[in-house]
Amino acid sequence: MSRTPRIDFLPHDPQALAQSAGRLAVFVAAQGPEGEAARALDTAMGGALSRLAASARWERAKPGEVIEIAVPAGVAAEAVLAVRHDAEVDRLALRRAGGAIAAAAGRGDLTVLASGLRHADEMALGLALRAYRFDAHQKPDESADPEGRVRVMSDDSEALAAAAGPMAAIAEGVAFTRDLVNEPANVLTTDDFAARLAAMQELGLEVEILEEDELEKLGMGALLAVGQGSDSPSKVVVMRWNGGGDEAPLALVGKGVVFDTGGISLKPAAGMEDMTMDMGGAGTVAGTMRALALRRAKANVVGLVGLVENMPSGNATRPGDVVRSMKGDTIEVINTDAEGRLVLADVMWYAQERFKPAGMIDLATLTGAIIVALGHENTGVFSNEDGFAEALLSAAQAEGEGAWRLPMGEAYDKVLKSRVADMRNVGTGREGGSITAAQFLKRFVQDGTPWIHLDIAGTASLKSDWALGPKGATGWGVMALNRLVADRYEG
């Protein structure tokens, strides 16, 4: 599947450091090598690090920037990666520096000298996130370096390894989300998706798969209407992590449209191949549940995902059809390409009816309008409770994941009025499209349930490399939701 490096944390050993093959990374302050280990390495290299630190190139370098010294004297490494380092730098900057090291190192062996480095666990997390690659469907590149070993040397390797343990769980959760979002739709069918989630029972999660006959009995007419044009069966998968006491769980609800053609309201051909990522919300829920289970979170969290495929066929839902939701409200389907909100409506109602959650967060690649509003830097945040929204925004900021809250209100709700049903699935115009989608979902939030809607259409996948990952799926939200659980729901 994906490739993420195993990182070994070892005691600092000057002899082993000098003999390390591949690439060697070292953090160097603005004025030159600091600390006994870095100065000893500089001496072994004939003062190369000191000369670099005195150069105009180093003066222009930004904190966290990597400058490569090729074929250095005095060490076995084929290159030394000098990382410009400020002792006062924050943890997120160290995470990005780890990403810069991974990007510069490529494949092959890598040794990082982290002696005396504050937030070295954050650096290791950034390294692991940026080193991720999805090459499951590519032939091996025989001309590339073989997969290497990553070693981090420090003065207290045991303490660093202990601090990095929860980070490894987060990295695996992010990688799991990225894997799901990157997979093509002929591989990640609804059956395959459900099977991958069921396999997480080995981590201690309770996993339950609801098939179409059960969904019909529950009255999930909105969700089933989305998938009825596809040969792939619609499903709802419930993942439960019971790490707390008797308190009500936090509910995470994800849109899992494994491929979205738009249905009868067919999308343009150009760019439709990107609709393999329309299950990004479900992918984030799954990755978060994996991270919580791996780190044995002391909280109760339930993840629910609606898995469907939106296809045109003789059996597909038509524009103008009226479907009945699990809540009992009827919905006039104006546009079959506004299908994600139909999936979420039923799964959100089911989550509240069954689990009576302490709070509910839904995630979906829901609207193109959110990309127009916020680009690819921020996820759109909508909520019915200020305190809950602020907790999520704080968690996202702490993890360096962009999020911005948008307004809601009765004026946006009026455009959903239908002539023949209780509501339309889209508004009467294009204005405020992401907000009217949130207003639609709010109709399926029960009184007293704190709720957040996260529109991740712009942040779930990127077209270019970025600080903590290659182009493609980002895994946005796994770190923020994990942080929210740790800060708000764990004792």
Side-chain angles (χ1 to χ4, degrees):
M1 190 56 64
S2 65
R3 297 179 184 271
T4 51
R6 171 187 167 183
I7 301 177
D8 294 320
F9 297 93
L10 305 173
H12 174 229
D13 182 340
Q15 183 176 359
L17 187 69
Q19 295 175 353
S20 296
R23 284 173 165 76
L24 174 61
V26 57
F27 289 81
V28 181
Q31 65 274 17
E34 287 188 343
E36 182 179 346
R39 287 193 293 268
L41 178 62
D42 185 39
T43 299
M45 295 172 60
L49 295 175
S50 294
R51 291 194 298 275
L52 174 63
S55 69
R57 184 183 182 189
W58 190 253
E59 186 176 350
R60 293 192 301 269
K62 298 177 181 178
E65 186 173 340
V66 175
I67 295 178
E68 180 176 311
I69 303 174
V71 197
V75 294
E78 63 188 53
V80 168
L81 307 176
V83 187
R84 175 73 183 260
H85 179 57
D86 181 346
E88 300 304 318
V89 75
D90 64 25
R91 43 182 289 275
L92 291 181
L94 257 295
R95 192 180 292 183
R96 292 190 294 271
I101 292 171
R107 303 185 185 188
D109 290 342
L110 170 66
T111 302
V112 182
L113 178 58
S115 293
L117 183 68
R118 292 176 62 244
H119 307 306
D121 54 336
E122 295 282 357
M123 180 275 300
L125 174 59
L127 196 161
L129 292 173
R130 183 61 181 85
Y132 169 92
R133 293 198 310 280
F134 185 80
D135 55 10
H137 307 294
Q138 297 175 335
K139 290 181 179 179
D141 185 354
E142 296 180 358
S143 65
D145 291 335
E147 294 301 319
R149 179 184 181 190
V150 178
R151 301 183 297 178
V152 176
M153 291 187 175
S154 67
D155 297 326
D156 192 344
S157 58
E158 291 187 5
L160 178 54
M167 302 290 190
I170 295 168
E172 185 169 333
V174 172
F176 188 65
T177 295
R178 290 176 178 178
D179 284 351
L180 292 168
V181 177
N182 280 326
E183 280 286 15
N186 63 320
V187 175
L188 191 74
T189 62
T190 57
D191 286 329
D192 181 76
F193 201 154
R196 296 188 193 202
L197 302 186
M200 290 202 291
Q201 291 177 104
E202 65 186 22
L203 302 179
L205 286 167
E206 297 178 13
V207 182
E208 181 182 359
I209 301 173
L210 305 180
E211 302 290 355
E212 285 190 343
D213 57 345
E214 296 170 274
L215 303 181
E216 289 176 3
K217 291 177 183 177
L218 288 167
M220 292 195 186
L223 181 149
L224 289 169
V226 176
Q228 71 184 40
S230 172
D231 289 339
S232 292
S234 299
K235 302 172 187 286
V236 169
V237 181
V238 181
M239 298 161 280
R240 299 182 69 180
W241 175 253
N242 300 311
D246 297 328
E247 66 271 12
L250 170 67
L252 305 177
V253 178
K255 168 190 171 184
V257 180
V258 296
F259 193 79
D260 181 21
T261 66
I264 298 297
S265 305
L266 194 67
K267 292 177 180 289
M272 194 190 291
E273 68 276 7
D274 293 335
M275 288 299 99
T276 57
M277 52 77 74
D278 209 26
M279 36 58 62
T284 300
V285 170
T288 302
M289 297 304 295
R290 189 175 190 88
L292 295 175
L294 284 168
R295 72 173 183 81
R296 320 307 290 177
K298 294 180 173 59
N300 295 334
V301 183
V302 56
L304 306 96
V305 296
L307 306 182
V308 301
E309 185 177 38
N310 188 21
M311 297 288 282
S313 76
N315 195 44
T317 296
R318 297 158 292 241
D321 284 359
V322 174
V323 299
R324 185 176 297 276
S325 69
M326 182 181 174
K327 178 185 177 184
D329 287 352
T330 56
I331 304 164
E332 181 185 8
V333 179
I334 302 298
N335 187 334
T336 64
D337 194 24
E339 84 298 333
R341 63 201 70 184
L342 301 180
V343 174
L344 290 173
D346 276 346
V347 182
M348 287 166 57
W349 195 259
Y350 176 74
Q352 294 167 97
E353 287 287 283
R354 179 175 174 184
F355 296 106
K356 307 294 189 252
M360 179 172 63
I361 301 173
D362 77 79
L363 298 96
T365 50
L366 204 64
T367 67
I370 202 67
I371 303 176
V372 175
L374 300 178
H376 298 280
E377 298 298 318
N378 288 284
T379 283
V381 180
F382 305 83
S383 182
N384 65 353
E385 184 177 296
D386 292 345
F388 196 25
E390 286 302 318
L392 183 280
L393 291 167
S394 295
Q397 183 178 27
E399 295 299 327
E401 295 193 307
W404 193 264
R405 189 176 181 186
L406 283 82
M408 299 182 69
E410 185 178 350
Y412 296 104
D413 205 46
K414 293 177 180 178
V415 298
L416 297 174
K417 184 176 177 58
S418 167
R419 180 180 63 84
V420 297
D422 294 321
M423 69 193 80
R424 299 158 52 106
N425 74 324
V426 293
T428 54
R430 300 182 63 186
E431 300 87 353
S434 59
I435 302 176
T436 56
Q439 291 290 155
F440 178 93
L441 293 176
K442 186 174 182 290
R443 296 184 177 209
F444 298 89
V445 178
Q446 297 178 4
D447 291 342
T449 300
W451 163 72
I452 294 171
H453 162 55
L454 299 175
D455 193 335
I456 62 173
T459 52
S461 185
L462 299 177
K463 293 289 189 181
S464 59
D465 293 353
W466 58 294
L468 296 179
K471 61 184 176 182
T474 64
W476 187 98
V478 172
M479 293 188 292
L481 292 174
N482 175 76
R483 167 75 63 169
L484 178 70
V485 170
D487 290 348
R488 190 176 175 95
Y489 297 97
E490 292 188 74

